Amino acid sequence: MRELLQVQGLTKTFRLSAKQQKLEKTREKVRVAVDDLSFTAYEGEIFGLLGPNGAGKTTTLRMLATLIRPDSGDAVLDGASVVREPDKVRSKIGFLTSELKLEECFTPNYLFDFFSTLHGVPPEVSRRRKEILFARFGIDRFAEVKVAELSTGMKQKVSLVVSIVHDPDIIIFDEPTNGLDVLTARVVTDFLQELRSQGKTIIVSTHIFSLVEKLCDRVGILIDGRMVCCDTLDNVRQGESLEDRFFDIYRETAGDGE
């Protein structure tokens, strides 16, 4: 299999304000969010980053999407470096996060056309892609409805669709089913499996064990910003449920730190 993503020693720290130090009851002035992180993802697979809140999952994905710059290390996505070639990386990826807030005064139609133009998608290609994706997600009936009037699930579907207007080979999703009802979550997970079957490389972050077991070919477990385990799903589980195996690893890791 072709390596489509190589993450090499990514590290990111954040300075804590006096207010944050007081709220968190700590004297630490610097917080290490991601600590010397390395892993590889291959063409046509779903790679899951699994960990509790605060483990560094979102920070990692934001570095991969070039939204923030690593303090050290690099990641190469289909030959493009997030440090040296961020514009090239952005042209190759689709990035979806729950932090993405669509402008509520616009319609799905307008947003799809806007992001298509932004990515340089030819008008005829954009029109056909919109037709297919809007029908696939049931957005066609709401194409001219303002985002402010859409349900939470429909907003998530529109966010997903506009993030992949340019048909990227690498798709990065931060908590893809977070806050969704069971029907919408199923639509999203089915679509991720479809994308994998098309040869796309998909990186998802989550804290939901069942989602990883359903979707992922390989999984990396992040704890306190460090990759403590990374392998195929079966090798990580070692015959246990993923949840049981995670807590085994968590206890072992906590023990190492004592």
Side-chain angles (χ1 to χ4, degrees), residues 33 39 55 62 104 113 127 131 138 192 216 219 250 253 256:
F39 67 93
R62 292 179 71 193
E104 297 205 329
D113 293 345
R127 185 191 64 76
E131 223 172 65
L192 293 181
C216 297
V219 58
Y250 187 84
T253 304
D256 288 342

Side-chain angles (χ1 to χ4, degrees), residues 13-217:
T13 59
F14 294 101
R15 185 166 294 278
L16 297 180
S17 66
K19 184 177 180 181
Q20 286 173 308
Q21 288 175 284
K22 186 176 180 181
L23 286 171
E24 298 183 22
K25 298 178 181 178
T26 180
R27 293 183 179 180
E28 292 180 352
K29 293 186 178 181
V30 174
R31 173 71 45 80
V32 180
V34 177
D35 187 2
D36 194 26
L37 183 67
S38 299
F39 67 93
T40 300
Y42 297 92
E43 186 174 29
E45 78 167 4
I46 300 179
F47 183 96
L49 277 176
L50 175 68
N53 291 339
K57 303 186 303 296
T58 294
T59 300
T60 297
L61 296 194
R62 292 179 71 193
M63 285 190 283
L64 297 183
T66 74
L67 295 181
I68 56 176
R69 187 181 176 90
D71 296 342
S72 61
D74 199 355
V76 178
L77 293 87
D78 195 16
S81 159
V82 299
V83 174
R84 299 185 305 276
E85 304 165 291
D87 290 342
K88 197 171 179 182
V89 169
R90 291 178 201 128
S91 72
K92 293 174 176 287
I93 67 169
F95 180 56
L96 178 64
T97 171
S98 58
E99 295 175 358
L100 174 63
K101 304 299 181 188
L102 301 173
E103 289 290 342
E104 297 205 329
C105 60
F106 296 133
T107 66
N109 248 343
Y110 176 86
L111 289 168
F112 192 96
D113 293 345
F114 173 80
F115 281 99
S116 290
T117 301
L118 200 63
H119 283 286
V121 181
E124 184 56 29
V125 174
S126 174
R127 185 191 64 76
R128 287 198 306 270
R129 190 154 172 76
K130 184 203 294 187
E131 223 172 65
I132 292 167
L133 289 172
F134 275 30
R136 174 71 175 75
F137 288 97
I139 300 171
D140 42 5
R141 292 174 294 156
F142 303 92
E144 290 299 337
V145 177
K146 289 183 178 179
V147 167
E149 299 169 26
L150 298 176
S151 68
T152 300
M154 187 55 65
K155 287 177 183 176
Q156 181 77 339
K157 290 176 184 177
V158 174
S159 296
L160 190 158
V161 163
V162 301
S163 72
I164 57 170
V165 292
H166 52 311
D167 195 20
D169 288 328
I170 302 171
I171 298 159
I172 302 170
F173 284 165
D174 189 14
E175 302 284 0
T177 60
N178 193 35
L180 299 183
D181 64 77
V182 292
L183 295 176
T184 306
R186 178 61 182 264
V187 170
V188 171
T189 56
D190 285 352
F191 187 61
L192 293 181
Q193 290 172 317
E194 259 182 51
L195 291 173
R196 174 176 56 193
S197 71
Q198 295 169 15
K200 309 291 187 185
T201 298
I202 303 161
I203 313 297
V204 298
S205 77
T206 186
H207 59 275
I208 302 172
F209 300 110
S210 59
L211 183 66
V212 174
E213 290 186 301
K214 177 179 180 179
L215 286 180
C216 297
D217 303 289

